[in-house]
Amino acid sequence: MADIIMAGFGGQGVLTAGKILIDVAAREGKNVSWTSSYGAEMRGGTASCSVVISDEEIGSPYPTKLDILLAMNEPSYDKFIGSMRDGGLVIVNTSLVAKSGYPDNVRVYGVDATDMANAAGNGRAANLVMLGAMIKASGLLDVDRFGAGLDAYFDAKGKNTPKNAECYRLGATSLREL
Amino acid sequence: MSVDYVLMKGNEAIAEAALRAGCRFYAGYPITPQSEILEYMSVHMAKRGGVFIQGENEIASMSMLFGAAACGARCMSSSSGPGFDLKQEEISYLSAAGLPAVLVNAMRYGLGDGEITAGQDSYWVSTRGGGHGDKRLLVLAPASVQECADLTYLAFDLAEKYRNVVEILSDGAICQMIEKCVLPEPREHDMNKFDWALTGKPREARKNKAYNLSYYMGYEAYDRYMREKIESMFENEQRWEEFMLEDAELVLVAYGISSRACRSAVRQARRDGMKLGLIRPISVWPFPRRAFAGVPDSVRGYVSVEMSITTQMGEDIQLATEFSKPLYAYLTSKEIPTVEGIIAYCQEILAGNIKPTEVL
């Protein structure tokens, strides 16, 4: 069971990261829900989606306490860090988030997602780097099986490139505890 | 593992289930948060041999729907809040002519334009409305993507069975969320199977009419027909789900997205020693009065949990319970109810700190 929020700037792919996550988790037999914030949003404003993954029936699809936060920019980190459960997991995009310290009640891992995706020639895949770091750090699902599921997701869309899996693997191997 | 489900938004599940129920005519006009229904229909309707029209507005779309319904086609339109208001006149005309049609109303918050975000603003207009005149809409309120599909599929059968308008009352949360959904089997609908539908001009064709039934049935027979139809729907179409009612002290009553938070709240409260239960209306008209006949004596009051400014469902709860227990209303307006908020409110009720709702 995990209550998750993925958040960042519009365009960073947080909604897609959530859709990939529920797609793979559902194939692994989990119950899943995905909801996104929508409303009068600004270009460059924040975007987020809530994901619930559970072996049991999912009640509210809008969790208020989080097990996992994936923060792709600083406003997202600031907005949701206070919602973390004790012992929760925070994945931070250290290309864009620089904090002098982190709360003691959570585990925080950083990965230079934006820089790595750019360096890999797949600038739009910072979300996949973040997913790699999250899957590795959380143990939510098997790292290799998730990688295969991620490929299947993009294959089904007819828009895959080997660089997607590469970015995911970069995330899974480059995270560091903060 | 084999995949027998799809991951879909509620809106998409409604649209696909409609197509699988044999819906071959859709006319509507975009409005958040239901525009994916339109979008889905625009992509998929033609592939199934049907007609998709984005009308110049909601009113025109409804007039087109009237035409399709009069010819016996399974047909659907959808809207939200202010857009749904514009459909009221034609709902009355569809009802007057006894034409089956399925409408979707994805609720938002507030009056006028309100907000485009989720709410439960349209309970009254759905359960009491449908334009002027004596009629009832059958109104079904899904609380999951699976129910979006299942109830839409069912809605077409009910519309035909009663020659009545059926409304799917979803909300900006249920229609926008993605969950697993097992889709129903595709069916073809024979639009020529009815003895009441318009058939065209050949000399040997039946000369059916598509206007007020009362004009050719006669008023006395028509009034009786309408009364019997409404009674029959009330008797046969009450749908609900009960959750942990046994030995409950407070019974939450909620539909749609609010009921999802309530289920979690009931579970959590019972772990903490507070005895909550839940009645979830699936049909909001007819309101499931029968659900309230079976509640245990332990119940001290009912809590209507709604995303609205004032309680809209409260008076139906009071009618169902014959004002026998206090009614409280936990109203979250444009915020999704939270487990913590529901539990805290119920604790305050049991502590005697909250007065029952008197304004209905």
Side-chain angles (χ1 to χ4, degrees):
Chain A
M1 175 86 186
D3 294 327
I4 303 166
I5 280 188
M6 304 175 143
F9 291 125
Q12 279 185 309
V14 291
L15 304 189
T16 302
K19 286 180 181 174
I20 295 168
L21 178 58
I22 60 166
D23 192 82
V24 181
R27 285 171 195 273
E28 296 286 321
K30 307 285 185 186
N31 289 324
V32 297
S33 70
W34 176 102
T35 57
S36 66
S37 65
Y38 73 92
E41 305 286 3
M42 269 187 323
R43 183 177 173 141
T46 58
S48 68
C49 64
S50 298
V51 169
V52 180
I53 297 175
S54 180
D55 291 320
E56 285 151 30
E57 172 200 87
I58 294 172
S60 175
Y62 292 90
T64 46
K65 296 284 181 208
L66 303 178
D67 299 303
I68 299 174
L69 169 63
L70 193 142
M72 291 197 68
N73 66 2
E74 198 142 330
S76 301
Y77 176 88
D78 293 339
K79 183 172 178 183
F80 294 111
I81 189 68
S83 305
M84 295 302 298
R85 287 199 176 102
D86 289 344
L89 172 69
V90 183
I91 308 293
V92 173
N93 175 11
T94 39
S95 299
L96 297 176
V97 183
K99 293 285 178 189
S100 51
Y102 293 95
D104 292 333
N105 69 325
V106 289
R107 294 182 295 138
V108 184
Y109 288 85
V111 63
D112 291 331
T114 306
D115 296 334
M116 283 182 178
N118 284 333
N122 197 10
R124 289 169 65 191
N127 57 345
L128 306 184
V129 180
M130 293 291 286
L131 267 181
M134 192 203 95
I135 295 300
K136 174 71 178 175
S138 67
L140 199 59
L141 296 161
D142 179 78
V143 172
D144 291 330
R145 286 170 68 104
F146 192 93
L150 182 141
D151 263 330
Y153 177 87
F154 285 108
D155 284 340
K157 283 189 166 296
K159 289 181 187 168
N160 206 2
T161 150
K163 287 180 177 174
N164 287 336
E166 185 189 331
C167 284
Y168 166 78
R169 278 182 203 292
L170 275 172
T173 51
S174 320
L175 73 166
R176 57 195 191 285
E177 190 153 11
L178 299 177
Chain B
M1 154 180 190
S2 76
V3 173
D4 55 359
Y5 63 87
V6 290
L7 288 170
M8 271 187 163
K9 284 191 170 189
N11 278 334
E12 295 166 335
I14 286 171
E16 178 59 33
L19 292 171
R20 286 174 181 239
C23 173
R24 291 294 178 269
F25 184 88
Y26 176 95
Y29 191 79
I31 182 171
T32 303
Q34 61 79 50
S35 294
E36 286 97 347
I37 296 177
L38 218 84
E39 205 179 323
Y40 196 94
M41 288 298 194
S42 75
V43 173
H44 295 279
M45 179 61 94
K47 293 181 200 166
R48 320 277 173 104
V51 175
F52 164 85
I53 298 174
Q54 181 179 322
E56 61 264 46
N57 56 33
E58 289 83 351
I59 299 171
S61 302
M62 285 298 284
S63 296
M64 297 172 198
L65 200 74
F66 187 103
C71 294
R74 288 196 156 187
C75 57
M76 187 165 98
S77 186
S78 58
S79 194
S80 177
F84 205 79
D85 290 354
L86 297 171
K87 298 180 182 292
Q88 299 300 307
E89 181 191 38
E90 204 66 22
I91 293 173
S92 184
Y93 278 82
L94 284 163
S95 304
L99 295 179
V102 175
L103 303 177
V104 184
N105 187 356
M107 290 185 290
R108 338 202 287 188
Y109 159 83
L111 301 79
D113 276 343
E115 291 287 340
I116 63 173
T117 50
Q120 294 183 307
D121 69 313
S122 294
Y123 184 91
W124 278 335
V125 79
S126 300
T127 57
R128 274 67 172 164
H132 62 285
D134 312 284
K135 82 212 120 18
R136 289 291 193 173
L137 272 56
L138 282 168
V139 187
L140 305 171
S144 64
V145 175
Q146 184 65 55
E147 269 192 350
C148 284
D150 294 344
L151 294 179
T152 302
Y153 199 69
L154 171 70
F156 284 92
D157 290 340
L158 293 178
E160 264 171 34
K161 179 178 177 186
Y162 293 102
R163 293 183 61 182
N164 210 81
V165 176
V166 182
E167 181 181 333
I168 301 295
L169 186 66
S170 82
D171 56 65
I174 293 296
C175 72
Q176 288 288 331
M177 70 187 290
I178 301 175
E179 288 183 311
K180 281 183 180 176
C181 170
V182 179
L183 291 165
E185 284 300 309
R187 301 184 282 190
E188 285 301 324
H189 164 69
D190 175 12
M191 65 185 281
N192 298 312
K193 72 179 182 181
F194 302 115
D195 60 8
W196 49 261
L198 304 191
T199 51
K201 290 197 74 170
R203 185 172 294 278
E204 67 277 13
R206 287 192 310 275
K207 297 291 188 290
N208 286 330
K209 304 173 179 73
Y211 52 73
N212 283 35
L213 295 175
S214 56
Y215 296 169
Y216 52 90
M217 286 176 75
Y219 292 103
E220 203 175 314
Y222 171 74
D223 290 357
R224 192 166 55 243
Y225 161 78
M226 288 301 282
R227 282 187 200 116
E228 285 172 2
K229 179 163 96 168
I230 291 168
E231 281 168 16
S232 173
M233 293 193 297
F234 180 82
E235 278 302 310
N236 299 316
E237 305 304 337
Q238 293 183 31
R239 290 177 165 78
W240 72 91
E241 183 191 17
E242 298 172 6
F243 185 59
M244 295 193 173
L245 284 185
E246 53 288 348
D247 75 4
E249 285 189 84
L250 288 174
V251 172
L252 309 177
V253 186
Y255 66 100
I257 185 61
S258 296
S259 72
R260 295 287 294 261
C262 286
R263 274 183 89 90
S264 296
V266 169
R267 278 217 181 84
Q268 181 62 44
R270 284 190 174 255
R271 277 196 291 269
D272 300 343
M274 182 167 48
K275 288 170 181 165
L276 300 185
L278 169 67
I279 291 175
R280 175 173 76 88
I282 296 170
S283 60
V284 289
W285 201 92
F287 191 75
R289 290 194 196 175
R290 267 185 221 121
F292 294 81
V295 299
D297 295 337
S298 54
V299 172
R300 291 162 57 181
Y302 295 93
V303 187
S304 190
V305 180
E306 298 171 72
M307 289 181 70
S308 53
I309 299 168
T310 183
T311 178
Q312 299 197 9
M313 186 169 59
E315 66 189 61
D316 278 338
I317 299 170
Q318 290 292 50
L319 288 173
T321 59
E322 297 173 346
F323 291 82
S324 59
K325 298 279 166 64
L327 171 72
Y328 304 88
Y330 181 62
L331 306 169
T332 62
S333 294
K334 65 190 197 32
E335 305 301 326
I336 310 274
T338 62
V339 172
E340 296 81 7
I342 295 164
I343 288 177
Y345 187 83
C346 291
Q347 283 168 339
E348 290 294 310
I349 293 172
L350 293 175
N353 296 332
I354 292 179
K355 282 202 285 188
T357 301
E358 290 173 356
V359 179
L360 292 173

